[in-house]
Amino acid sequence: MRDAVPASRFKHPIILIGLMGCGKSTIGRELSKLTGLPLLDTDLVIEEQLGKSIPDIFAEFGEARFRALETALLRYLADRSSAPDKRNCIISTGGGIVLKPENRTILRSLGFVVWLNVDVPALLARTARANNRPLLHNADRAATLTSLLLRRRPLYEATAHMRLNTTDTDIPTVTREIIHAAKLFYS
Ligand code: S3P
């Protein structure tokens, strides 16, 4: 049986970053269950704000507008984090949220940032069925994921307080390791 972890142990959010398909949403849901903290998925918030799917947002407004919405959401979360009635949470992010320097700074100041690092073959398998990622709507997904990882690896590295290779690790082990590290981070 899994032990529940009191949410009060974590003063600030646990934030998950990493490439598409690395397991941010799945691990985020598990962390949310274990800690009792609500899960905030930045992609979902933006979709709800606009009443449109990510592919539609990219198609109608372009990637730059989507990136601006990510930054606006992070600024809002940063403002809220100093409010006395702030609600703590687990944050799962879109894979490109680290692209802007401002976002990287806000993420690190918001909470404990965990980079879920997964090998490209596993990313390929995990993103094979879903059709909701506009950056992968092209013939050579392997080449796209490889070049995204190459470009973003230093950005994930610079943003994260913790890096976990989760290619072959099961979800309970990953969540246990994150919670253990977050407790130390916040102790
Ligand atoms: C993106 C990742 C997606 C989503 C958008 C762009 C990226 O989120 O934000 O399609 O640039 O890597 P996931 O990482 O949750 O798939």
Side-chain angles (χ1 to χ4, degrees), residues 17-25 41-44 46-47 54-55 58 63 66-67 70 92-99 127 132-136 145 148 152 156:
I17 61 172
L19 264 196
M20 297 172 267
C22 71
K24 291 164 294 184
S25 305
D41 181 322
T42 58
D43 282 345
L44 285 182
I46 290 171
E47 287 187 328
I54 301 279
F58 269 65
E63 181 175 348
F66 174 75
R67 300 295 172 204
E70 284 184 315
S92 158
T93 60
I97 204 150
V98 293
L99 289 172
T127 54
N132 58 350
R133 293 177 169 112
L135 297 184
L136 296 182
L145 282 167
L148 284 177
R152 292 180 182 175
Y156 293 134

Side-chain angles (χ1 to χ4, degrees), residues 67-78:
R67 300 295 172 204
L69 291 165
E70 284 184 315
T71 302
L73 175 55
L74 288 180
R75 285 182 189 156
Y76 167 78
L77 292 172

Side-chain angles (χ1 to χ4, degrees), residues 26-102:
T26 310
I27 304 289
R29 274 194 296 274
E30 270 308 294
L31 288 172
S32 166
K33 267 191 236 157
L34 282 171
T35 59
L37 293 171
L39 174 65
L40 187 152
D41 181 322
T42 58
D43 282 345
L44 285 182
V45 173
I46 290 171
E47 287 187 328
E48 275 163 24
Q49 273 173 349
L50 270 73
K52 292 179 190 294
S53 68
I54 301 279
D56 286 348
I57 296 170
F58 269 65
E60 285 182 40
F61 306 119
E63 181 175 348
R65 175 79 192 281
F66 174 75
R67 300 295 172 204
L69 291 165
E70 284 184 315
T71 302
L73 175 55
L74 288 180
R75 285 182 189 156
Y76 167 78
L77 292 172
D79 280 352
R80 197 185 67 169
S81 72
S82 54
D85 64 341
K86 66 158 183 163
R87 288 184 66 221
N88 201 358
C89 57
I90 306 292
I91 302 177
S92 158
T93 60
I97 204 150
V98 293
L99 289 172
K100 285 195 185 177
E102 179 183 353

